[in-house]
Amino acid sequence: MLPAKLSINAWTGPGTQVSAEVNAEDALRWSVRAKFPAAGRKLGPEIEAPEQQWWHEQHGWGVVLPEPADGAWSHEDKAWARDAPPAVQRLVQHRLGEPYRPAPVFRFDPALPDNYLRRYFPDGTKSEPKIGQDIGLSGKNSVPRYLLIVADPEAVPWRIQYALAQSHHVGRLDLDDEGLSNYVDALLSDWADCDADPQSATVWSVDLQLDADITREMRRTIAHPVYKLLNGDTEIGAGVDYLSDDRAVVTELVSSLRRGPALVVTTSHGKTSPIDEARRDELAASLGVLVDCQDHFVDGAALDGWDPNGAIWYAHACCSAGCDHGTKYKGLLTAGDYATTVVEAVAALPAQVAPLPASLLGRPKPLRAFIGQVEPTFDWTLRDELNRQPLTTAITKALYNRLYQPWPVGFAFDPYFRSVGELYTQWVKLKDRIDEGADERIILPDAARVRLTAVDRESLVVLGDPTATLPPLPSKRGV
């Protein structure tokens, strides 16, 4: 059954709950009114080299850039990323060892289908490989498993990152030249000047103590399970700081961050106000900043003077990673309801990376990675409606079981991203059943749930390099 109402983790002012009635008739049609998204995951034998070995030729690492608007660049220039900022050129030259340097550079061209990239070669040739088909560094049509998009989401759209994430481990950097240089310096030095403590972690979770509010569900299904895993670890337990209830405030978070934790996990609303059209610039400038239990903001000013020191930050909040121009939720919520108005106001902005992660990834001692959402998440996707089982196990396992191996952040979240393709496959099968004449009253609610979960999950993105790993725990050093 469709729920009567959906809530999202967006914040527009003190005491507001951003929810909307579900228009049953329209929402059921929304559930099957879309094209299957571009993706590409190749089934086949297990790759012999461990997938976390990003430097191995069977996996590899590369850069995705926009096709330059200026046609004066030669094939060799584009193969060597000479149209990109100096920091990117430095990264391409030095990220991989011989004989794979310079690292492969791929181009997004809007004239190509979304599941294709373009690669130029110094000899004047080019290729247009399909993503997810030939993984590695060995051939002209190969695409590395690990990809770093260096572009704003207007130049290389979020939908490309979503498609890539189903078969590759992908991250994004959208920074000014100084921030990009800071991040590349840290990455190439393997974070030599950063000393985030792997035995220290911060879990900060706003719970507004309202059963109808999504913050309670986020605490119960994400923050608290992660805390329990960290607290039960013999190397981390005493070093995990769990901030919720009246401790879920900006001042407590800042104090905890100054301890130098390697992992930061936050669940809260994300700021999505003001929503009136005349103040859209103000909305863009503060989009997605975290909101504490007293309606104060975790923004760049609140964290001024804090060195991320190579930490990894997971932020489950509306638009914590940014926004897209337009929304896939059109037709799901009742027109004119409050959540619908909020979603439409954000969707009217140009596609962008949120200001908080951009600030933290560009500092002199930057974050290794920030994992957040491009659109809001819904309460319906956090827990199974029949047995009330949390649907967030892949997140909690990524944040503890996989990141602390330590495995690259892109690889750590791979099961979560891989599930997107599986959900879309379920959705197509449900659409096929309708075409075959099955009872729509039974099929359409399932189609709505599956499609909403797929859209919700694919909007979680990695900002930063997908090869970034936590510093190892003492028991993992030298392993």
Side-chain angles (χ1 to χ4, degrees):
M1 293 291 293
L2 287 171
K5 180 180 287 189
L6 287 172
S7 298
I8 62 177
N9 53 354
W11 185 96
T12 59
T16 58
Q17 293 187 45
V18 184
S19 60
E21 300 290 335
V22 175
N23 184 319
E25 182 176 350
D26 288 348
L28 291 176
R29 295 299 170 191
W30 171 89
S31 70
V32 291
R33 193 175 62 243
K35 295 180 179 179
F36 191 76
R41 176 167 287 276
K42 183 178 180 180
L43 299 178
E46 290 292 322
I47 297 175
E48 293 182 4
E51 198 165 317
Q52 58 268 37
Q53 294 181 2
W54 57 267
W55 57 87
H56 195 283
E57 67 175 351
Q58 291 178 344
H59 305 297
W61 177 95
V63 169
V64 178
L65 301 173
E67 184 75 39
D70 185 351
W73 299 99
S74 69
H75 280 49
E76 181 179 78
D77 291 335
K78 288 185 277 192
W80 289 63
R82 288 173 180 152
D83 57 310
V88 176
Q89 297 181 49
R90 193 163 73 251
L91 189 59
V92 168
Q93 288 296 321
H94 299 291
R95 184 63 174 147
L96 295 178
E98 297 292 352
Y100 303 111
R101 62 174 62 174
V105 176
F106 298 87
R107 303 289 175 159
F108 165 73
D109 185 340
L112 289 173
D114 283 353
N115 51 347
Y116 287 82
L117 297 172
R118 180 176 294 125
R119 184 179 178 186
Y120 294 93
F121 297 92
D123 64 4
T125 61
K126 66 181 179 181
S127 66
E128 293 177 348
K130 186 175 183 179
I131 64 174
Q133 297 303 302
D134 189 359
I135 306 293
L137 295 169
S138 59
K140 283 195 170 185
N141 284 310
S142 298
V143 180
R145 179 73 71 186
Y146 292 82
L147 293 168
L148 176 62
I149 299 170
V150 186
D152 68 73
E154 288 272 281
V156 178
W158 289 117
R159 69 176 189 275
I160 304 304
Q161 187 162 355
Y162 300 160
L164 286 169
Q166 292 182 45
S167 51
H168 298 261
H169 310 317
V170 56
R172 180 188 295 266
L173 289 175
D174 176 17
L175 304 171
D176 60 23
D177 286 352
E178 181 181 0
L180 192 58
S181 184
N182 288 339
Y183 189 91
V184 168
D185 286 346
L187 183 63
L188 289 178
S189 72
D190 196 21
W191 311 92
D193 294 330
C194 297
D195 55 3
D197 182 2
Q199 293 181 271
S200 176
T202 294
V203 180
W204 183 84
S205 183
V206 174
D207 181 351
L208 297 180
Q209 305 295 321
L210 300 169
D211 287 335
D213 188 79
I214 192 174
T215 56
R216 172 161 289 186
E217 275 294 85
M218 292 191 293
R219 179 186 179 183
R220 288 175 173 175
T221 59
I222 297 174
H224 193 67
V226 170
Y227 164 69
K228 286 178 65 178
L229 289 168
L230 294 170
N231 189 55
D233 189 287
T234 56
E235 293 182 278
I236 307 169
V240 59
D241 199 5
Y242 187 37
L243 308 172
S244 195
D245 298 322
D246 59 356
R247 295 192 68 198
V249 294
V250 175
T251 53
E252 290 271 9
L253 176 60
V254 172
S255 177
S256 184
L257 293 177
R258 294 193 186 283
R259 300 177 307 122
L263 179 67
V264 181
V265 177
T266 59
T267 66
S268 68
H269 286 303
K271 186 174 182 290
T272 52
S273 67
I275 60 175
D276 53 300
E277 186 173 356
R279 301 173 68 189
R280 290 284 162 80
D281 288 347
E282 186 179 343
L283 170 60
S286 61
L287 181 70
V289 299
L290 314 183
V291 186
D292 75 4
C293 66
Q294 298 177 352
D295 298 315
H296 298 148
F297 306 129
V298 183
D299 54 16
L303 298 179
D304 189 36
W306 174 62
D307 283 324
N309 245 330
I312 291 177
W313 189 320
Y314 177 89
H316 204 91
C318 180
C319 302
S320 59
C323 70
D324 206 352
H325 185 67
T327 176
K328 293 184 179 180
Y329 299 126
K330 185 177 181 180
L332 171 66
L333 305 176
T334 300
D337 271 15
Y338 195 45
T340 310
T341 303
V342 172
V343 169
E344 290 174 349
V346 173
L349 295 174
Q352 68 171 75
V353 168
L356 179 62
S359 168
L360 300 177
L361 288 163
R363 294 191 177 183
K365 294 184 178 181
L367 285 177
R368 279 173 163 86
F370 183 98
I371 306 100
Q373 292 170 272
V374 172
E375 291 207 64
T377 192
F378 287 82
D379 49 354
W380 200 27
T381 64
L382 295 173
R383 193 183 293 274
D384 186 272
E385 63 175 333
L386 294 179
N387 63 16
R388 306 305 296 160
Q389 180 180 356
L391 300 176
T392 53
T393 302
I395 294 175
T396 58
K397 284 187 175 181
L399 292 171
Y400 173 69
N401 304 70
R402 297 172 72 86
L403 273 183
Y404 280 94
Q405 286 305 317
W407 286 346
V409 62
F411 180 62
F413 278 86
D414 181 61
Y416 187 83
F417 295 129
R418 187 169 60 244
S419 71
V420 174
E422 295 164 358
L423 286 163
Y424 275 125
T425 299
Q426 292 179 38
W427 177 55
V428 169
K429 289 179 178 178
L430 290 168
K431 291 180 69 175
D432 288 344
R433 289 187 63 189
I434 292 173
D435 293 340
E436 293 164 0
D439 189 340
E440 292 187 357
R441 294 171 299 175
I442 297 173
I443 302 300
L444 289 178
D446 280 345
R449 174 185 54 81
V450 170
R451 185 185 173 202
L452 179 62
T453 305
V455 172
D456 181 76
R457 290 194 177 193
E458 75 177 357
S459 68
L460 188 78
V461 297
V462 175
L463 301 177
D465 192 85
T467 69
T469 61
L470 285 176
L473 292 165
S475 63
K476 297 290 185 180
R477 291 170 189 164
V479 175

